[in-house]
Amino acid sequence: MPRKTNRAEQNVSESEQNRKKPDVRLTSLDGTTFLQQIKNFLLNERTRQVCGIVLALLSLFAAIACISFFFTGANDQSLIDQPRDARLQSREQIQNILGLPGAMLSDWLIDDLFGLPSIGIIVLMVYFALRLMQIPTRTSTTRMLLCTLFWLTWGAVTLAYLQQMVGVDLYFRLGGAFGKRIAAASLSYIYGLGTGLVLIGLLIVFLVLSNKNFVPAVQRLWERLTTKREKEADDNQDIRLDDKQTHTSDINEQETTEDGSIVITLTPSGNDNSTTDTENKDGRLNVEITPIIDQENETITEDEKPITTDEENAETTGEEEGKDILDIHSENVEIVEQLPDYDPHLDLSTYKYPTLDLLKTYDNETAPIVDPAEQQANADRIVNTLRNYGIEIVRIHATVGPTVTLYEVVPQAGIRIAKIQSLENDIMLSLSAIGIRIIAPMPGKGTVGIEVPNEKPQVVSMHSVIASKRFQEEQKMRLPVALGRTITNEVFCFDLAKTPHLIVAGATGQGKSVGLNAIITSLLYKKHPSELKFVLVDPKMVEFSVYKPLLKHFMAAMPDQEDRDIIITDSQKVINSLNSLVIEMEDRYSLLADAGVRNLEDYNDKFIHRRLNPEKDVENLVTHKILHHRYMPYIVIIIDEYGDFIMQSGKEVERPIQRLTQKARAVGMHMILATQRPDVKVVTGIIKANVPTRIAFRTQSVVDSRTVLDTKGAEHLVGKGDLLYSGGGNLSRIQCAFVDTPEVEAIVNYIHDQQGYTEPYQLPEYVPEGGGDDEPSKAGEVDMKRLDPMFADVARYVVNKQEGSTSRLQRAFEIGYNRAGKLSDQLEAAGVVGPNKGPKGRDVLIQDMESLELLLQRLGVG
């Protein structure tokens, strides 16, 4: 019989069996534990490659998001700061190239962490990605971590310190939230100088510890500097000793040459060139031909293009930053002292002006074509014609222009000028010319001018006038326009701001539309989108349609005006837009009066230098609307075929135009009226009295010429851009610069491809007398079925912030006053806010987001 085992022996045997039995929970079939499997998986080469690729892609994603942040972060910031539900619903409005995740990631890295030095985190991710993919690197992991940690912390604190000391106001913190906290704490204890010394000391210590070659390099640099100074001192001493011997060696080598015109004196064949008489042996006069080549109007290349007036002003603003202490008036009590100057270009800081290569170039576009035989023959015909009527000529001089040659004749003493003027048709007959123009006498000269068209007219390209030094280096004009070239081949420029309004008239096909395009093109080449806005009216619907892509850059529009109607073509919309411009004019005058200035230039200068408080309420004494100080751009209103609107609507169009031409110049609003019907019913006496500057292309009759210019002459122009400019009491003949439609399209597309504003410049809302069916006058009559697309976002913002003022909505959502006012009325009608209480704003009636969401669901929005 087997022996019975006792209890103790049984326990021992069971424990030995347990020790020999493997633990199935921690081991696999091959005998490795679970932890060993994880370790083997992580150390596997394929796994490391995959992890490295994933990390590299993440770093690339972060880098692209951060780069896009610098261009779109300002617009995306308000959307990111919203609650989660609102942020998700408005994610389609995010402008970051990687959408909402990219916007949130870049905002977290740059604004919430270390600011600009957060790029070091991306560099560190790339480093570990390379290590995981077993790509060799020169830096050890420990060194890389320590260096990155130092640059993150030191760079964040340094940038935050500089931002607080200089006072740079950006939409993100240069040093992030971390740098701002540390810098603020340091400044409160050891102030600015102490903080700067500590930062410099930490940088030097780090460089000494991290780079063993730093100290020797500094020593070598110091030795080079001291050696160089000693050598320069010795050289200067040698130069002073030999100065007397070498000072006068090259004095007589320099010769001064005279600038000016090229004068060619023509003589008939067989004549003695040494004679000084102007009359030949056969009785003919020699004609002196002067093709004017103005050195100041030479074109310059893109590389030589000088800084524009706007860029120079920006540099001046940067140099004066921090120097001006704000002149705080007694009313503006909330302005912070020593703020940096306001930069109107900041929203579109990356905007680039159109380049010269967008314009066509032509052969000999800067010099006239001189045909001596033609000029001499015309001079002989003029002299012979005048002699046939008993008028003797002492001297004749020809100035060759691009389209017309000016012959200046000096009659003998005793000849009446009126007699020469009466022979205009006879001279035209002898020359077989299309039309001539006699100027008797020439202003400031003792001559009589006879303008004769050239047989081969020269094309004046837009490139030649835009690229001229006179236009590129122009700094005094506020709205410079390069119109073309004068009869002396000089680039003709005028300041639209001093015009201040303009009438452009001429028969069909004589170059009127090209002239308007030349004016618009000149302004596009000189002004930033923040400084200039257009209102274009085109009843033919084809002339200005090419400018539609400028919607978000240079266009102004009424509230709720559709994008496709940005070029106004309907007569009723023209009336509404003109009346809206009148309201804008009155609003601007109220702001100028409150600022104590007389014109827009002084007002904007005050606003840029922070002498006006944008938070202050300014009441329009006419409409009792509350306004706020803001930077105001120039507004140029161009109405093509103005006569058609007068015939359709009469006084309804003429009345607001009269008001604008009478008062709008001081507030930076300038009007250009173009018509092919310059009769007294269109160009009335009141319009002519308020628009002193006129441009006349070729007209059909002398009556039309007198209607526009108050003198004859336009009926004898040769067409194709030949015009007369009347301004400041002077009458100038100009060949308008030719700008073709493909050139305009190239300029417009160049601007359109750049970042623009979120919407056009908002003009005030105009409600016709008696209102309209869909224009309620009270908040209780708001049509809740036609809510603003931003209604849900604005409602969530108001409830979240518990603030319902119209001005707050303007700043938070970057919208115009009129749209913000309509949104406030809609919020009041929906029961989100209470009635307007003037300066106190509105009470928010909904206190929690849950109640608001229920309301939005009932309204069918959000």
Side-chain angles (χ1 to χ4, degrees), residues 280-320:
N280 299 324
K281 295 179 181 180
D282 57 359
R284 292 194 304 166
L285 290 177
N286 296 334
V287 56
E288 297 177 352
I289 302 177
T290 304
I292 299 296
I293 303 177
D294 191 351
Q295 295 182 354
E296 293 182 357
N297 294 322
E298 292 180 355
T299 59
I300 61 177
T301 62
E302 191 69 32
D303 295 336
E304 297 173 343
K305 184 177 178 180
I307 301 174
T308 62
T309 306
D310 305 323
E311 294 168 345
E312 289 180 355
N313 291 338
E315 288 187 358
T316 305
T317 302
E319 292 173 359
E320 296 178 355

Side-chain angles (χ1 to χ4, degrees), residues 376-433:
Q376 183 66 67
N378 287 338
D380 292 342
R381 295 190 185 101
I382 292 173
V383 172
N384 292 333
T385 302
L386 294 176
R387 279 179 176 171
N388 292 336
Y389 292 93
I391 300 174
E392 293 294 332
I393 301 300
V394 177
R395 182 171 58 86
I396 185 169
H397 177 271
T399 302
V400 182
T403 306
V404 177
T405 298
L406 173 64
Y407 295 89
E408 296 182 61
V409 298
V410 179
Q412 284 186 348
I415 300 297
R416 297 182 61 185
I417 294 178
K419 190 175 182 180
I420 299 177
Q421 288 180 312
S422 64
L423 299 176
E424 183 177 63
N425 293 331
D426 298 280
I427 297 174
M428 187 186 308
L429 177 64
S430 65
L431 295 174
S432 301

